[in-house]
Amino acid sequence: LARTLPGPTPGRWHGCPTRVAGPTPGCISKRRPCMGMRRTVSTEDAPAAVGAYSQATATDDLLFTAGQIPLTPEGDLLDGSGIDVQTEQALENLVAVLEAGGASTDDVLTVTVYMTDIGEFETMNTVYQTVFEGDPPARSAVGVAELPKGVDIAVEAVASTT
């Protein structure tokens, strides 16, 4: 039987009372089914977060990556490089975070690419296709005024972990 909870529990995004024990089968909040515990994903194979955020967060079923920029795991910023080099590094970082979260590019459901020059779309797409071959995920490409650290691209993804 599904049950309705009276309100949110501090520390949980939807009021699931299974904060420590994990999801309860049939647990239903007022708005959403229980997605299980949220966990933080981190890897040394991608650059550390440059702010107050995680490289990724995950539930039992989904992995949400932060935007990956062309920063090497060693901290070298590739902001002066061409969009092809920047895209390749951002995607290498994305793959490392996906793997740390128990997913691969085959598990990616959607990708969002942020670019400061959408006119470079074709160059970005050429590199992108080398990572997401065959049956690629849904994708949006968005032109933006600027990105953190002065880079020209950031890439984030949502992947299934089941």
Side-chain angles (χ1 to χ4, degrees):
L1 290 176
R3 57 188 165 142
T4 302
L5 303 173
T9 301
R12 292 295 294 149
W13 63 277
H14 72 285
C16 179
T18 58
R19 191 162 199 267
V20 176
T24 303
C27 170
I28 303 291
S29 76
K30 287 184 176 182
R31 296 180 298 173
R32 301 181 182 100
C34 180
M35 296 292 287
M37 299 224 1
R38 187 191 94 152
R39 63 184 170 88
T40 299
V41 176
S42 180
T43 179
E44 292 181 2
D45 294 330
V50 295
Y53 62 91
S54 302
Q55 290 173 323
T57 55
T59 65
D60 292 341
D61 303 305
L62 296 172
L63 176 68
F64 301 85
T65 74
Q68 300 301 308
I69 63 173
L71 179 66
T72 68
E74 297 77 31
D76 297 323
L77 189 62
L78 305 180
D79 58 331
S81 300
I83 195 66
D84 55 340
V85 172
Q86 290 191 46
T87 301
E88 184 176 357
Q89 184 63 58
L91 289 171
E92 284 178 17
N93 296 340
L94 182 70
V95 169
V97 173
L98 289 168
E99 289 174 354
S104 73
T105 55
D106 291 335
D107 301 311
V108 174
L109 303 171
T110 186
V111 174
T112 305
V113 179
Y114 301 94
M115 302 177 69
T116 58
D117 183 358
I118 203 72
E120 296 277 5
F121 178 85
E122 290 303 323
T123 303
M124 176 280 297
N125 197 50
T126 299
V127 176
Y128 180 93
Q129 289 174 338
T130 66
V131 175
F132 293 100
E133 299 176 296
D135 190 17
R139 180 185 69 192
S140 297
V142 182
V144 298
E146 59 185 314
L147 289 163
K149 302 262 185 198
V151 300
D152 297 320
I153 190 165
V155 184
E156 67 182 20
V158 177
S160 173
T161 57
T162 57

